Amino acid sequence: MMTFKEFQAVNAERAKLWHHDGVRPWGLVDWTNATAGEAGELCNASKKLQRFHDGIEGNKGETQEELEQAVADEVADTITYAFLVASHLELDVEKIIVDKFNKVSQRNGFKIFLEE
């Protein structure tokens, strides 16, 4: 199974392919806006899935499976861009996730912690 570190490295390498031949390299705002855009698409996909579950008209005839796949795709896109934000800032994704997860557990008195 792939680790966060492995994904972060290959994701950052692939992202370089989008910015070549004189195209301005993306900065922090570009990466965070792209992440927010994908999160917005995730919200829209989940709205459509919820409409389907509630029997509300408004979707374009998509099946439950298609709507669930759309949600899954947008989760993946959002995570992919979040990793690119971390790469842009040279953050170790594994470390920041463990640190933040454990901080929240500590603050809330939970006994579930991630190992560093």
Side-chain angles (χ1 to χ4, degrees), residues 50-67:
Q50 187 63 49
R51 250 192 295 204
F52 179 88
H53 286 296
D54 292 344
I56 297 172
E57 298 294 323
N59 291 341
K60 297 178 181 173
E62 300 100 334
T63 66
Q64 179 173 342
E65 293 77 21
E66 290 169 330
L67 294 167

Side-chain angles (χ1 to χ4, degrees), residues 28 31-33 35 80-91:
L28 179 60
W31 291 117
T32 57
N33 284 345
T35 305
T80 297
Y81 272 104
F83 269 72
L84 290 169
V85 170
S87 292
H88 180 78
L89 295 171
E90 298 181 358
L91 300 172

Side-chain angles (χ1 to χ4, degrees), residues 5 92 94-103 113-116:
K5 283 182 194 249
D92 179 333
E94 289 180 358
K95 180 178 180 354
I96 65 174
I97 288 173
V98 168
D99 289 351
K100 180 63 176 183
F101 186 94
N102 290 345
K103 183 189 286 185
F113 293 91
L114 298 173
E115 291 186 32
E116 296 185 35

Side-chain angles (χ1 to χ4, degrees), residues 6 8 48 55 66 74 76 87 93 95 114:
E6 291 167 338
Q8 186 173 8
K48 291 178 180 181
E66 290 169 330
E74 297 307 336
S87 292
V93 172
K95 180 178 180 354
L114 298 173

